[in-house]
Amino acid sequence: MGLLAAGEYLMYGDARDKMEKKLQEKELMSNPATPHGTTPPRTPGDPSPPIFSPGILTPGQYSPRPASHTPTSTRPPSNLASPTIPRSPRFRSPRFLTPLGTPMRKVFTSMKQYLEDIGHITKLNPHDAWLPVTESRNGNAFYSAFHNLNAGIGFQALLLPVAFTFLGWSWGIITLLFAFIWQLYTLWILIKLHEAVPGTRYNRYVELAKAAFGERLGPGLVIFPVFNLSAGTASSLIIIGGSTLKLFYEVVCGPTCQNGPLTAFEWYLVFAVLCAIVAQLPNLNSIAYVSLIGAVMAVAYTTMVWTLSISKARPEGISYEIVRPESSTATAFSVLNALGLIAFAFRGHNLVLEIQATMPSTLKHPSHVPMWKGAKGAYAVVAFCYFPMAIGGYWAYGNKMLPSGILSSLSVYHQDISPVLLGLTFLFVVLSSLSSFQIYSISVFDSFEQTYSGKTNKPCPKLVRLAFRLFFVFFSYFIGIALPFLASLGGLFGGLTSIPVTFMYPCFMWLSIKKPSKYSLSWYLNWTLGILGIVFMIAISTGGVWSVIYTGLKVRFFKPL
């Protein structure tokens, strides 16, 4: 038996390591921890030798084996009387039975490192890798800034001075500042709610609405305004881009280019073809530099418009008295319509979650950090464009401001402007509209392909993707030529779409998902803003309808200007 025990004790390599680990785990599970340097109690008849303090070798022990896995001695211990193997000095018993003192510490350390490097244990939908929004997840703070700026600044900014004619200096500035701060707060809410539930990423506005309001109520509340902000904006961009492309041609060519000029239908079609070409870029990240170009163009033409307006002599007889219709009721509705124009100027919240979905997210580097960083930079530029546009435009034209906006007023009251500057302004508007069409259409493309992938359980083929995108582009073209008056419904669309999506729903989503303590500051703030959003939505929508009736909307079907 002594030789057998010695043979077992002299085992080396992996077999010995395994036996030592098993015996150590068994001791940890069965024996209490012993103080350092003491001998554990022995029961009568126990033949196993006493175990001494780690690191001290007795004559009956031998040193640990070297890395070569060869035993240092072939002589077995003389006092070994049983096959019980003493613990090696390398495996010290913990003072307390906690995971940090056991081999489980390595497991926890490895798991922590894995979670920090790989990210959340997220339930990933395999279809997401096939869809334009989530196909690529290599976005960053710069992409966030490009997309938010391209989606945030558009033709609706040209209508801000029109709102000032009904609000005046004081209320106009106060309202614009309040709306800017409010929408910046709801933007932060959407960014934080993107990963509000551990293990889940809400990559689309509709998905977040389902989580907040329920599987049935959520889509019912948000599908119409979100689709209208995407598809409706795309149709309006066809109108704006096509008509501005026509103006650019007329400015560049002048009176000498009268040989077969294109009709309005054909100019819209030219712009739609340009949109269809750019729309073939596969996913949201692939159009990041398109968004950069659009953002630069938007900043350029808004800056040029208000700079040219204030640099020229003001029209004769202008006044800064608030425009008041004949009756008090008409005045009230005019004010509400002006509020709708300001609300409609802050668009793009329907795309926030989609933009954030293009970014990687881990526990160590969550996606909301670069997203919020890029969004802050983008909306700082938005403020730089919007406030000078509204204040400078109203100062330049006062109550002489045309209902179609500052760009029309500039071309009517200052016909002596250099054709080069005017042509550049029109070109910047065209390029900005072309880029904005892509960012607003990508969510519609994503919906088409999501439906196809959900039914077929396979990615959308290239030909089917091409067909979907061409269909949407030319459907938007058809709406643009059939309903060319859509661009003049800014106040109504602001009440029906921008108010709920931008100002109202995010507050109620925060209350539903985050559940702040009752009567806390967050609870009061979100309930107040949410209820105020409902009141504004009803009032501004009513004012938009009244404005359409009062101003006599020229409904021209298939008669674009």
Side-chain angles (χ1 to χ4, degrees), residues 258-295:
Q258 298 297 329
N259 297 326
L262 300 178
T263 64
F265 286 96
E266 292 167 337
W267 282 115
Y268 285 21
L269 181 60
V270 170
F271 186 78
V273 170
L274 294 176
C275 291
I277 293 173
V278 183
Q280 301 313 310
L281 293 172
N283 54 60
L284 186 54
N285 268 340
S286 65
I287 65 171
Y289 291 102
V290 175
S291 292
L292 172 61
I293 294 173

Short mmCIF file of all heavy atoms in Angstrom, two decimals, residues 258-295:
data_model
loop_
_atom_site.label_atom_id
_atom_site.label_comp_id
_atom_site.label_asym_id
_atom_site.label_seq_id
_atom_site.Cartn_x
_atom_site.Cartn_y
_atom_site.Cartn_z
N GLN A 258 -33.92 79.66 -73.58
CA GLN A 258 -35.36 79.52 -73.81
C GLN A 258 -35.69 78.44 -74.83
O GLN A 258 -36.83 78.32 -75.25
CB GLN A 258 -35.92 80.87 -74.30
CG GLN A 258 -35.76 82.00 -73.29
CD GLN A 258 -36.52 81.76 -72.00
OE1 GLN A 258 -37.57 81.11 -71.99
NE2 GLN A 258 -35.98 82.26 -70.89
N ASN A 259 -34.69 77.67 -75.22
CA ASN A 259 -34.93 76.62 -76.20
C ASN A 259 -35.43 75.36 -75.50
O ASN A 259 -34.66 74.58 -74.96
CB ASN A 259 -33.66 76.31 -76.99
CG ASN A 259 -33.20 77.51 -77.81
OD1 ASN A 259 -34.04 78.27 -78.30
ND2 ASN A 259 -31.89 77.68 -77.96
N GLY A 260 -36.73 75.19 -75.53
CA GLY A 260 -37.34 73.98 -74.96
C GLY A 260 -37.12 73.82 -73.49
O GLY A 260 -36.55 72.80 -73.05
N PRO A 261 -37.51 74.78 -72.63
CA PRO A 261 -37.36 74.60 -71.17
C PRO A 261 -38.28 73.50 -70.66
O PRO A 261 -39.35 73.25 -71.22
CB PRO A 261 -37.76 75.97 -70.62
CG PRO A 261 -38.67 76.56 -71.65
CD PRO A 261 -38.17 76.05 -72.97
N LEU A 262 -37.87 72.88 -69.56
CA LEU A 262 -38.65 71.78 -69.00
C LEU A 262 -39.86 72.32 -68.24
O LEU A 262 -39.83 73.43 -67.69
CB LEU A 262 -37.77 70.95 -68.06
CG LEU A 262 -36.53 70.29 -68.66
CD1 LEU A 262 -35.76 69.55 -67.58
CD2 LEU A 262 -36.91 69.35 -69.79
N THR A 263 -40.90 71.52 -68.21
CA THR A 263 -42.08 71.86 -67.43
C THR A 263 -41.84 71.50 -65.97
O THR A 263 -40.85 70.83 -65.62
CB THR A 263 -43.30 71.13 -67.96
OG1 THR A 263 -43.11 69.72 -67.78
CG2 THR A 263 -43.54 71.44 -69.43
N ALA A 264 -42.79 71.91 -65.10
CA ALA A 264 -42.66 71.59 -63.68
C ALA A 264 -42.69 70.08 -63.45
O ALA A 264 -41.95 69.56 -62.61
CB ALA A 264 -43.78 72.27 -62.90
N PHE A 265 -43.52 69.35 -64.20
CA PHE A 265 -43.56 67.89 -64.10
C PHE A 265 -42.18 67.30 -64.37
O PHE A 265 -41.72 66.40 -63.67
CB PHE A 265 -44.56 67.32 -65.10
CG PHE A 265 -45.99 67.51 -64.73
CD1 PHE A 265 -46.71 68.58 -65.24
CD2 PHE A 265 -46.64 66.63 -63.87
CE1 PHE A 265 -48.03 68.77 -64.90
CE2 PHE A 265 -47.96 66.81 -63.53
CZ PHE A 265 -48.66 67.88 -64.04
N GLU A 266 -41.52 67.83 -65.38
CA GLU A 266 -40.23 67.28 -65.79
C GLU A 266 -39.13 67.64 -64.78
O GLU A 266 -38.23 66.83 -64.53
CB GLU A 266 -39.88 67.79 -67.19
CG GLU A 266 -40.80 67.24 -68.26
CD GLU A 266 -40.67 67.97 -69.58
OE1 GLU A 266 -40.22 69.14 -69.59
OE2 GLU A 266 -41.03 67.38 -70.61
N TRP A 267 -39.21 68.84 -64.20
CA TRP A 267 -38.21 69.19 -63.19
C TRP A 267 -38.38 68.32 -61.96
O TRP A 267 -37.39 67.88 -61.35
CB TRP A 267 -38.32 70.66 -62.81
CG TRP A 267 -37.72 71.59 -63.82
CD1 TRP A 267 -38.36 72.51 -64.58
CD2 TRP A 267 -36.33 71.65 -64.19
NE1 TRP A 267 -37.48 73.17 -65.41
CE2 TRP A 267 -36.22 72.66 -65.17
CE3 TRP A 267 -35.19 70.99 -63.78
CZ2 TRP A 267 -35.00 72.99 -65.76
CZ3 TRP A 267 -33.98 71.32 -64.37
CH2 TRP A 267 -33.89 72.31 -65.33
N TYR A 268 -39.61 68.07 -61.55
CA TYR A 268 -39.85 67.14 -60.44
C TYR A 268 -39.30 65.76 -60.75
O TYR A 268 -38.73 65.09 -59.89
CB TYR A 268 -41.34 67.05 -60.15
CG TYR A 268 -41.95 68.24 -59.43
CD1 TYR A 268 -41.33 69.48 -59.43
CD2 TYR A 268 -43.15 68.12 -58.75
CE1 TYR A 268 -41.88 70.57 -58.79
CE2 TYR A 268 -43.72 69.20 -58.09
CZ TYR A 268 -43.08 70.42 -58.12
OH TYR A 268 -43.63 71.49 -57.49
N LEU A 269 -39.49 65.35 -62.00
CA LEU A 269 -39.01 64.02 -62.40
C LEU A 269 -37.48 63.95 -62.37
O LEU A 269 -36.91 62.94 -61.95
CB LEU A 269 -39.53 63.67 -63.79
CG LEU A 269 -39.15 62.29 -64.33
CD1 LEU A 269 -39.68 61.19 -63.43
CD2 LEU A 269 -39.68 62.11 -65.76
N VAL A 270 -36.82 65.02 -62.82
CA VAL A 270 -35.35 65.04 -62.78
C VAL A 270 -34.86 64.90 -61.34
O VAL A 270 -33.94 64.12 -61.05
CB VAL A 270 -34.82 66.34 -63.40
CG1 VAL A 270 -33.33 66.50 -63.15
CG2 VAL A 270 -35.11 66.37 -64.90
N PHE A 271 -35.49 65.64 -60.44
CA PHE A 271 -35.08 65.54 -59.04
C PHE A 271 -35.38 64.14 -58.48
O PHE A 271 -34.59 63.60 -57.70
CB PHE A 271 -35.80 66.61 -58.22
CG PHE A 271 -35.35 66.68 -56.80
CD1 PHE A 271 -34.16 67.29 -56.46
CD2 PHE A 271 -36.11 66.11 -55.78
CE1 PHE A 271 -33.73 67.35 -55.14
CE2 PHE A 271 -35.69 66.16 -54.46
CZ PHE A 271 -34.49 66.78 -54.14
N ALA A 272 -36.52 63.56 -58.86
CA ALA A 272 -36.86 62.22 -58.38
C ALA A 272 -35.86 61.19 -58.88
O ALA A 272 -35.50 60.25 -58.15
CB ALA A 272 -38.27 61.84 -58.81
N VAL A 273 -35.38 61.33 -60.10
CA VAL A 273 -34.38 60.39 -60.63
C VAL A 273 -33.08 60.51 -59.83
O VAL A 273 -32.44 59.49 -59.51
CB VAL A 273 -34.14 60.67 -62.13
CG1 VAL A 273 -32.94 59.88 -62.64
CG2 VAL A 273 -35.38 60.30 -62.94
N LEU A 274 -32.68 61.73 -59.49
CA LEU A 274 -31.49 61.90 -58.66
C LEU A 274 -31.67 61.23 -57.30
O LEU A 274 -30.76 60.58 -56.79
CB LEU A 274 -31.21 63.40 -58.48
CG LEU A 274 -30.80 64.18 -59.73
CD1 LEU A 274 -30.65 65.66 -59.40
CD2 LEU A 274 -29.52 63.63 -60.32
N CYS A 275 -32.88 61.37 -56.73
CA CYS A 275 -33.15 60.71 -55.45
C CYS A 275 -33.08 59.19 -55.58
O CYS A 275 -32.57 58.50 -54.69
CB CYS A 275 -34.53 61.13 -54.93
SG CYS A 275 -34.65 62.85 -54.42
N ALA A 276 -33.60 58.65 -56.68
CA ALA A 276 -33.59 57.21 -56.89
C ALA A 276 -32.18 56.67 -57.02
O ALA A 276 -31.86 55.57 -56.55
CB ALA A 276 -34.41 56.86 -58.12
N ILE A 277 -31.29 57.45 -57.62
CA ILE A 277 -29.90 57.00 -57.78
C ILE A 277 -29.20 56.93 -56.43
O ILE A 277 -28.56 55.93 -56.08
CB ILE A 277 -29.15 57.94 -58.75
CG1 ILE A 277 -29.73 57.81 -60.16
CG2 ILE A 277 -27.65 57.61 -58.77
CD1 ILE A 277 -29.17 58.83 -61.14
N VAL A 278 -29.33 57.98 -55.64
CA VAL A 278 -28.66 58.01 -54.33
C VAL A 278 -29.29 57.00 -53.37
O VAL A 278 -28.62 56.48 -52.48
CB VAL A 278 -28.70 59.43 -53.75
CG1 VAL A 278 -27.95 59.50 -52.42
CG2 VAL A 278 -28.12 60.43 -54.73
N ALA A 279 -30.57 56.69 -53.58
CA ALA A 279 -31.28 55.78 -52.67
C ALA A 279 -30.78 54.35 -52.77
O ALA A 279 -31.19 53.51 -51.95
CB ALA A 279 -32.78 55.81 -52.96
N GLN A 280 -29.91 54.03 -53.71
CA GLN A 280 -29.42 52.65 -53.83
C GLN A 280 -28.31 52.33 -52.85
O GLN A 280 -27.86 51.18 -52.77
CB GLN A 280 -28.92 52.41 -55.28
CG GLN A 280 -29.98 52.62 -56.33
CD GLN A 280 -31.28 51.94 -56.00
OE1 GLN A 280 -31.32 50.76 -55.66
NE2 GLN A 280 -32.38 52.69 -56.10
N LEU A 281 -27.84 53.31 -52.08
CA LEU A 281 -26.89 53.00 -51.02
C LEU A 281 -27.55 52.08 -50.01
O LEU A 281 -28.71 52.29 -49.63
CB LEU A 281 -26.42 54.29 -50.34
CG LEU A 281 -25.58 55.21 -51.23
CD1 LEU A 281 -25.33 56.54 -50.54
CD2 LEU A 281 -24.25 54.55 -51.58
N PRO A 282 -26.86 51.03 -49.56
CA PRO A 282 -27.56 49.91 -48.90
C PRO A 282 -28.15 50.20 -47.52
O PRO A 282 -29.25 49.75 -47.22
CB PRO A 282 -26.47 48.82 -48.81
CG PRO A 282 -25.18 49.57 -48.87
CD PRO A 282 -25.42 50.75 -49.75
N ASN A 283 -27.43 50.93 -46.67
CA ASN A 283 -27.89 51.06 -45.28
C ASN A 283 -27.66 52.46 -44.75
O ASN A 283 -27.12 53.32 -45.45
CB ASN A 283 -27.22 50.02 -44.39
CG ASN A 283 -25.71 50.06 -44.49
OD1 ASN A 283 -25.09 51.07 -44.19
ND2 ASN A 283 -25.09 48.96 -44.93
N LEU A 284 -28.06 52.66 -43.50
CA LEU A 284 -28.02 54.00 -42.91
C LEU A 284 -26.59 54.49 -42.72
O LEU A 284 -26.31 55.68 -42.92
CB LEU A 284 -28.78 53.99 -41.58
CG LEU A 284 -28.97 55.33 -40.87
CD1 LEU A 284 -29.61 56.35 -41.79
CD2 LEU A 284 -29.81 55.15 -39.62
N ASN A 285 -25.69 53.61 -42.35
CA ASN A 285 -24.31 54.04 -42.17
C ASN A 285 -23.65 54.41 -43.49
O ASN A 285 -22.74 55.24 -43.54
CB ASN A 285 -23.49 52.95 -41.48
CG ASN A 285 -23.49 53.12 -39.98
OD1 ASN A 285 -23.77 54.19 -39.46
ND2 ASN A 285 -23.18 52.05 -39.26
N SER A 286 -24.09 53.79 -44.58
CA SER A 286 -23.48 54.07 -45.88
C SER A 286 -23.83 55.45 -46.40
O SER A 286 -23.18 55.93 -47.33
CB SER A 286 -23.90 53.00 -46.90
OG SER A 286 -25.30 53.06 -47.15
N ILE A 287 -24.87 56.09 -45.85
CA ILE A 287 -25.22 57.43 -46.31
C ILE A 287 -24.73 58.50 -45.32
O ILE A 287 -25.21 59.63 -45.35
CB ILE A 287 -26.74 57.57 -46.52
CG1 ILE A 287 -27.50 57.44 -45.18
CG2 ILE A 287 -27.26 56.57 -47.52
CD1 ILE A 287 -28.96 57.77 -45.30
N ALA A 288 -23.76 58.14 -44.47
CA ALA A 288 -23.26 59.10 -43.49
C ALA A 288 -22.66 60.32 -44.17
O ALA A 288 -22.91 61.46 -43.76
CB ALA A 288 -22.24 58.43 -42.57
N TYR A 289 -21.89 60.11 -45.22
CA TYR A 289 -21.27 61.24 -45.90
C TYR A 289 -22.26 61.98 -46.79
O TYR A 289 -22.06 63.17 -47.08
CB TYR A 289 -20.05 60.77 -46.68
CG TYR A 289 -18.93 60.33 -45.76
CD1 TYR A 289 -18.69 58.98 -45.52
CD2 TYR A 289 -18.15 61.27 -45.10
CE1 TYR A 289 -17.69 58.59 -44.65
CE2 TYR A 289 -17.14 60.89 -44.23
CZ TYR A 289 -16.92 59.54 -44.00
OH TYR A 289 -15.92 59.16 -43.13
N VAL A 290 -23.31 61.31 -47.21
CA VAL A 290 -24.40 62.01 -47.88
C VAL A 290 -25.06 62.97 -46.89
O VAL A 290 -25.38 64.12 -47.21
CB VAL A 290 -25.43 61.01 -48.45
CG1 VAL A 290 -26.64 61.73 -49.04
CG2 VAL A 290 -24.79 60.13 -49.50
N SER A 291 -25.26 62.49 -45.65
CA SER A 291 -25.81 63.36 -44.61
C SER A 291 -24.86 64.51 -44.29
O SER A 291 -25.31 65.63 -44.01
CB SER A 291 -26.09 62.56 -43.34
OG SER A 291 -27.16 61.65 -43.54
N LEU A 292 -23.57 64.26 -44.33
CA LEU A 292 -22.61 65.33 -44.09
C LEU A 292 -22.74 66.42 -45.16
O LEU A 292 -22.77 67.62 -44.84
CB LEU A 292 -21.19 64.77 -44.08
CG LEU A 292 -20.06 65.80 -44.03
CD1 LEU A 292 -20.14 66.64 -42.76
CD2 LEU A 292 -18.70 65.11 -44.13
N ILE A 293 -22.84 66.00 -46.41
CA ILE A 293 -23.00 66.97 -47.50
C ILE A 293 -24.30 67.75 -47.32
O ILE A 293 -24.34 68.98 -47.46
CB ILE A 293 -22.97 66.26 -48.86
CG1 ILE A 293 -21.58 65.66 -49.10
CG2 ILE A 293 -23.34 67.22 -49.99
CD1 ILE A 293 -21.50 64.79 -50.34
N GLY A 294 -25.39 67.03 -47.00
CA GLY A 294 -26.66 67.69 -46.80
C GLY A 294 -26.63 68.67 -45.65
O GLY A 294 -27.21 69.76 -45.71
N ALA A 295 -25.94 68.29 -44.55
CA ALA A 295 -25.86 69.18 -43.39
C ALA A 295 -25.07 70.44 -43.73
O ALA A 295 -25.47 71.56 -43.36
CB ALA A 295 -25.19 68.44 -42.23
#
